[in-house]
Amino acid sequence: MIPVVKTIDEIREYVNKWHKEGLSVGLVPTMGYLHEGHKSLIDRAVSENDRVVVSDFVNPTQFGPNEDLEAYPRDIERDAALCESAGAAVVFNPEPEEMYDNALTTVSVDKITKVLCGKTRPVHFAGVCTVVSKLFNIVKPDRAYFGQKDAQQLIVVKKMVKDLNFDIEIVGCPIVREADGLAKSSRNTYLNAEERKAALCLSRGLSAGRKLIENGERSAEAVKNVVRGEIEKEQLAKIDYVEAVNAETLDNAETAEAPLLVAVAVYIGKTRLIDNFIVE
Ligand code: PAF
């Protein structure tokens, strides 16, 4: 069975040994409750590195006071089995006390964390950047793998890595979807049958927007209107945002031109879902 280690000292023993042997190390940071989306990150990491560490840690500092930290699903045994079958070498599954031992330091990225999800989740990205920095310092990976579904997170992590000179390659991996189009997410488990159906409005709206661009539309406003219009047809949906931004700077886009990120956050009942597409 794949080792599941709980302490920083133990995971360091593994990676220090591998580094001494000249083996490359890939890191897949996760909050657990792994699904096909995570598996695609692990598969990619396994194909590009000699050894792969999957971190499985529901990071408390990236949840706001009224968010779903307590409810967030957890199943370390199932996660470990998935990691093993995908070919990872070890799972790092620390407790919050192990990661935050009276810590007073945070890592925050300015400007690009204030838009999109940052507007309604003011502490989220500092929590992500802090824990990801810590994981980078603990695991010292050559490469780290992040999903494109959290598009803003991927952009923020890339900027942090550049600004702080982490010697780590950040690899973004495509969104994995259910057969009917819903982007895979651990939070999909919160949806009841009716909400599950309603949640399709995100991918439906985004597909309509993408088609419009493919058919030659150049106004970002027109694209956003089509996406918003499609989502608003769904009674259970409450839009947090529908935005079209430059995919590097996250500045508002006037024209629907590459590099463009069209991103949405929508409440389906109490569950907040995100999805996006990028025009490169
Ligand atoms: O994307 C996630 O699951 C988390 O934000 C991450 C990157 C593992 C940091 O806790």
Side-chain angles (χ1 to χ4, degrees), residues 29-31 38 55 57 59 62 72 124 128 131-132 135 146 150 153:
T30 81
M31 296 211 300
H38 299 108
S55 64
F57 176 59
N59 173 37
Q62 70 190 71
Y72 200 84
H124 176 68
V128 169
V131 81
V132 168
L135 290 167
F146 294 84
D150 298 293
Q153 169 172 282

Side-chain angles (χ1 to χ4, degrees), residues 12-280:
R12 281 201 159 133
E13 269 178 43
Y14 280 93
V15 293
N16 287 343
K17 180 171 161 284
W18 295 331
H19 280 131
K20 263 193 213 125
E21 290 168 2
L23 301 174
S24 64
V25 177
L27 170 67
V28 182
T30 81
M31 296 211 300
Y33 217 72
L34 306 179
H35 50 66
E36 289 292 314
H38 299 108
K39 185 174 177 300
S40 75
L41 303 180
I42 302 170
D43 287 344
R44 174 90 182 261
V46 166
S47 76
E48 295 179 350
N49 300 276
D50 298 314
R51 296 288 183 272
V52 169
V53 177
V54 178
S55 64
D56 188 311
F57 176 59
V58 181
N59 173 37
T61 67
Q62 70 190 71
F63 288 78
N66 298 316
E67 293 182 358
D68 55 343
L69 174 60
E70 299 306 325
Y72 200 84
R74 293 156 168 92
D75 188 345
I76 186 64
E77 272 161 33
R78 208 179 111 247
D79 290 350
L82 185 147
C83 290
E84 176 168 85
S85 69
V90 56
V91 178
F92 179 46
N93 176 229
E95 295 302 319
E97 305 75 53
E98 175 73 4
M99 288 297 273
Y100 297 106
D101 179 18
N102 292 314
L104 297 176
T105 306
T106 52
V107 178
S108 66
V109 172
D110 206 355
K111 191 169 171 270
I112 57 174
T113 57
K114 305 262 193 292
V115 296
L116 304 178
C117 290
K119 272 195 187 159
T120 50
R121 307 191 72 193
V123 301
H124 176 68
F125 288 109
V128 169
C129 288
T130 304
V131 81
V132 168
S133 299
K134 288 167 70 68
L135 290 167
F136 285 176
N137 284 330
I138 293 165
V139 176
K140 295 185 282 270
D142 299 279
R143 297 177 197 84
Y145 296 79
F146 294 84
Q148 185 61 56
K149 205 201 100 227
D150 298 293
Q152 187 177 13
Q153 169 172 282
L154 176 58
I155 291 161
V156 167
V157 167
K158 280 186 176 161
K159 182 72 177 132
M160 176 189 83
V161 162
K162 178 167 183 283
D163 289 355
L164 295 182
N165 310 101
F166 280 106
D167 191 11
I168 296 171
E169 183 191 339
I170 302 303
V171 183
C173 301
I175 297 177
V176 177
R177 296 180 180 281
E178 304 285 354
D180 60 7
L182 180 67
K184 299 241 182 196
S185 165
S186 307
R187 290 193 167 95
N188 292 348
T189 53
Y190 299 152
L191 304 169
N192 65 30
E194 196 190 357
E195 290 169 340
R196 172 66 184 75
K197 232 187 250 162
L200 288 176
C201 69
L202 283 84
S203 52
R204 212 184 299 124
L206 288 166
S207 301
R210 190 198 279 272
K211 252 186 222 125
L212 203 64
I213 296 174
E214 282 166 7
N215 290 339
E217 180 58 62
R218 283 293 161 264
S219 154
E221 200 54 46
V223 173
K224 282 192 282 185
N225 284 339
V226 160
V227 177
R228 200 180 291 116
E230 196 59 49
I231 296 172
E232 279 171 350
K233 284 185 200 159
E234 176 49 63
Q235 296 245 325
L236 293 181
K238 193 171 146 273
I239 292 176
D240 176 357
Y241 65 76
V242 171
E243 295 286 3
V245 297
N246 179 291
E248 279 145 26
T249 62
L250 298 188
D251 289 335
N252 267 325
E254 301 274 308
T255 49
E257 273 170 12
L260 181 76
L261 167 66
V262 179
V264 303
V266 179
Y267 285 92
I268 303 293
K270 286 202 172 91
T271 305
R272 185 176 178 281
L273 299 176
I274 58 174
D275 199 351
N276 68 81
F277 70 88
I278 286 188
V279 182
E280 276 171 323

